[in-house]
Amino acid sequence: MTCVVQPAIQSFVTKDDGSQVLTTLPMLLDCPVQFPAGGGCTLTFPVAVGDECLVVFASRCIDSWWQSGGIQAQAELRMHDLSDGFVLLGFRSQPRVIAGISLQAVQLRSDDGAAFVEVNPNTHAINATTTGPMALTAPLVTINGDVKVNGRVDTTGDVKAGTISLQTHKTSQVQPGTGTSGVPVP
C-alpha cells in the first residue's frame, strides 16, 4: 500500500551565493496510500503510473509507526520532511477532469463513465451499467421482488416455478397431433 510519487510542483532552492534556482523535487519513495476505510471494510483502487494525487506530509517522522503500527517513539527528530508523505488519490488537474459526473447519485465508476454502479439517495434506486460482461459469484442469490429480463436467459442449471422444474416437469392431458397439452404436473 505504498507508491512512488514525483512531485509536480517545483521548488525554489537558495544557492550558496544567495540566488534562487527553480528545482524539481526528488521522487518520494514508499509513500503510504490512503484508501477510504473503516469498520473492517476498505474501498481500494488500482493505482496506475500517471495518476495524480495530493501528498500530505506528517509533522513528525512516521518510520516507527509505519514499521510497527500503534503508538511509537519517533525514530528521528525530523519534521515536515519529504520522507513522511501520505498519498491521497483522486485529485485532478484541469486536463484530467472527469466528464459526466452524476449530480443525482453516488457512483463507483470507470473514468470514461462506461461502467458504473450508482445509488440515488432520493429515489433509493440502485443501477449498474457496463459495456463489458458482468459476473456475480455467490453460493446463493436471493431477490425479493419481481425480476424482469429484457433479453435471453441462459442457465446450466434447472429453473423452477414453485415446485415445477423446467428440466423434469411433465404435463397433463397430453394428446398426439397438433393439440395443446394441459397444465404442468407438480
Side-chain angles (χ1 to χ4, degrees):
M1 291 182 44
T2 65
C3 68
V4 175
V5 177
Q6 175 59 65
I9 306 297
Q10 293 180 317
S11 179
F12 281 102
V13 173
T14 304
K15 294 171 62 174
D16 290 340
D17 65 3
S19 64
Q20 292 190 332
V21 124
L22 199 55
T23 305
T24 298
L25 294 171
M27 297 287 271
L28 308 177
L29 308 176
D30 288 327
C31 293
V33 176
Q34 188 273 338
F35 292 114
C41 295
T42 304
L43 181 59
T44 64
F45 307 96
V47 181
V49 171
D51 282 352
E52 293 176 310
C53 64
L54 173 67
V55 181
V56 178
F57 296 95
S59 63
R60 299 288 187 268
C61 171
I62 65 169
D63 292 354
S64 294
W65 166 82
W66 182 245
Q67 182 67 35
S68 303
I71 299 172
Q72 302 294 331
Q74 200 170 328
E76 293 184 28
L77 296 179
R78 65 179 184 248
M79 296 174 60
H80 307 285
D81 193 88
L82 292 177
S83 302
D84 301 313
F86 290 90
V87 172
L88 307 175
L89 297 167
F91 294 95
R92 292 176 179 266
S93 59
Q94 287 300 310
R96 299 196 59 214
V97 168
I98 297 174
I101 298 292
S102 174
L103 300 178
Q104 289 78 37
V106 62
Q107 292 185 331
L108 174 58
R109 59 171 275 174
S110 58
D111 285 353
D112 64 6
F116 62 85
V117 175
E118 69 179 10
V119 177
N120 185 306
N122 297 317
T123 65
H124 302 128
I126 298 174
N127 296 306
T129 298
T130 184
T131 56
M134 182 183 290
L136 173 64
T137 303
L140 176 66
V141 176
T142 301
I143 299 172
N144 295 314
D146 296 336
V147 175
K148 179 179 179 182
V149 177
N150 295 320
R152 191 174 87 197
V153 175
D154 293 321
T155 179
T156 57
D158 196 4
V159 176
K160 288 185 176 182
T163 60
I164 311 279
S165 164
L166 192 59
Q167 290 181 339
T168 63
H169 82 276
K170 297 180 176 149
T171 54
S172 64
Q173 303 170 357
V174 177
Q175 299 175 8
T178 60
T180 304
S181 65
V183 296
V185 177

